[in-house]
Amino acid sequence: MTATADDLRYPVGRFIYDPEITDEKRRAWADEIAMMPWRLRAAIVGLNDEQLATPYRPDGWTVRQVIHHLADSHLNSYARFKLALTENNPTIKPYDEAAWAELPDGREAPIELSLKLLDVLHERWAILLQSFRPADWERTFTHPERGKMTLSETLQLYVWHGRHHIAHITSLRERRHW
């Protein structure tokens, strides 16, 4: 069976907020944030330069660009968490993900740079999340395109984001028998 364009673009499905947020779910999501860099490393083990230069779908980013995008995106998200914790509902600045992915560091830089960045970033992020008091989860920022977002909602989104892009890589590997 051939994968559809939507299957290739959203291999774990589109993001859907879980409205029934519990402390147990937040702990599990925080654990996933902590583990994401290791899951990414497992997904790319043994890939060569030619494979890293392969788009995960037609007209999609290469595996290398996906890895660098994860570092760019999660760095922005971590900063948004810190802004929401230290300011009253700040309006954050979105960025053009596609344009960032086309910059030389997104297209050509060694993946180890972003892998190391993700390792330490997620370690810091996990420490921050473990320190949260109940009220911290309800802190907000305003995204100009998405509106007001709580940190609970944002955590869910970035757990999905990591799964989503790792699945781009693992589903490509499965299709190509790498």
Side-chain angles (χ1 to χ4, degrees):
M1 182 170 154
T2 305
T4 67
D6 214 42
D7 292 339
L8 295 176
R9 191 166 181 192
Y10 297 101
V12 298
R14 291 178 185 262
F15 177 70
I16 299 170
Y17 283 111
D18 180 347
E20 296 181 27
I21 300 169
T22 65
D23 288 338
E24 185 176 328
K25 287 179 183 177
R26 284 186 193 118
R27 279 191 296 278
W29 294 329
D31 289 345
E32 259 195 84
I33 289 292
M35 294 301 299
M36 182 278 214
W38 287 275
R39 289 186 175 125
L40 177 60
R41 283 182 182 275
I44 62 166
V45 77
L47 292 181
N48 61 37
D49 281 337
E50 181 181 333
Q51 291 165 325
L52 291 171
T54 303
Y56 73 89
R57 66 176 172 87
D59 300 317
W61 291 334
T62 66
V63 173
R64 179 183 315 279
Q65 286 173 299
V66 169
I67 294 164
H68 293 313
H69 163 71
L70 280 164
D72 291 340
S73 178
H74 289 210
L75 186 62
N76 273 281
S77 183
Y78 176 71
R80 292 168 182 175
F81 269 74
K82 305 253 311 186
L83 289 167
L85 289 168
T86 59
E87 298 178 21
N88 186 25
N89 191 41
T91 297
I92 58 94
K93 183 177 183 334
Y95 68 102
D96 185 340
E97 298 175 346
W100 282 37
E102 293 300 326
L103 292 172
D105 65 322
R107 293 188 62 76
E108 301 163 9
I111 61 169
E112 190 59 31
L113 297 173
S114 284
L115 294 172
K116 287 178 185 177
L117 176 59
L118 285 162
D119 287 342
V120 296
L121 175 64
H122 279 249
E123 189 172 345
R124 288 270 312 267
W125 202 352
I127 290 167
L128 181 65
L129 295 172
Q130 290 166 2
S131 74
F132 272 32
R133 300 175 317 264
D136 293 335
W137 292 109
E138 300 313 312
R139 301 280 305 180
T140 61
F141 61 81
T142 297
H143 190 294
E145 296 158 3
R146 293 181 177 263
K148 188 183 263 190
M149 298 178 67
T150 68
L151 293 183
S152 279
E153 293 167 339
T154 305
L155 179 62
Q156 288 182 59
L157 178 61
Y158 278 86
V159 166
W160 172 86
H161 189 256
R163 290 177 192 163
H164 167 72
H165 285 302
I166 290 169
H168 283 149
I169 297 165
T170 58
S171 65
L172 173 65
R173 290 188 82 155
E174 288 170 12
R175 290 190 315 276
R176 295 287 182 99
H177 305 288
W178 290 346

